[in-house]
Amino acid sequence: MAALRLGDSGVPIYVQLREQFLRAIGNGQLSPGDQMPTMRQVAVALKVDLNTVRRAYDELERLGALELVRGRGSFVAVPPPAMQGHEHERETENLARQTLAAAAALGVDPLALADRIAALAAQKET
């Protein structure tokens, strides 16, 4: 939780939190089954409203990254099995379009982004 940082970029706080947790899961800092800090712990540590943190956690649950267990807490979800066929193609297309839109909104060159994604994917395989 010490690695969580909020910026003044104009990006909503819940989006910043969601993205930081997704990065931590993606790079292996958080593994499937790991218990997440409570929403209250995050809110107090970052001095933000509890509802803001709840919104980030709700989105992470909707994305399938977290599993919220009543009375026990929030846990990093086990990733689903790899998609196949048309479903895989459709989801890949949707994710690519979302990523390109986010890059355009931030002024990031899409070809530089594609190169970076390829490099990160190659690192993950080794």
Side-chain angles (χ1 to χ4, degrees), residues 45-66:
L46 297 176
K47 298 180 176 103
V48 297
D49 187 74
L50 179 61
N51 288 321
T52 300
V53 179
R54 178 172 285 121
R55 185 167 181 189
Y57 273 51
D58 287 346
E59 287 209 5
L60 288 165
E61 182 183 31
R62 184 182 54 78
L63 291 169
L66 288 187

Side-chain angles (χ1 to χ4, degrees), residues 5-123:
R5 299 279 186 264
L6 298 178
D8 294 333
S9 61
V11 175
I13 292 171
Y14 79 94
V15 173
Q16 292 180 51
L17 290 173
R18 180 192 69 206
E19 296 305 312
Q20 288 180 55
F21 281 126
L22 286 174
R23 271 194 299 279
I25 292 167
N27 68 24
Q29 289 175 313
L30 293 172
S31 301
D34 284 354
Q35 186 163 15
M36 299 287 291
T38 67
M39 291 180 227
R40 186 170 309 284
Q41 287 172 325
V42 174
V44 169
L46 297 176
K47 298 180 176 103
V48 297
D49 187 74
L50 179 61
N51 288 321
T52 300
V53 179
R54 178 172 285 121
R55 185 167 181 189
Y57 273 51
D58 287 346
E59 287 209 5
L60 288 165
E61 182 183 31
R62 184 182 54 78
L63 291 169
L66 288 187
E67 181 182 356
L68 291 144
V69 181
R70 267 200 207 285
R72 291 194 50 226
S74 302
F75 299 85
V76 177
V78 175
M83 292 182 216
Q84 306 259 335
H86 293 298
E87 182 182 23
H88 179 266
E89 290 174 23
R90 184 182 73 241
E91 288 302 318
T92 301
E93 178 76 17
N94 287 340
L95 185 56
R97 289 183 182 280
Q98 289 173 0
T99 303
L100 285 172
L106 296 170
V108 174
D109 175 41
L111 295 177
L113 177 61
D115 289 343
R116 188 66 188 134
I117 290 171
L120 289 170
Q123 283 178 357

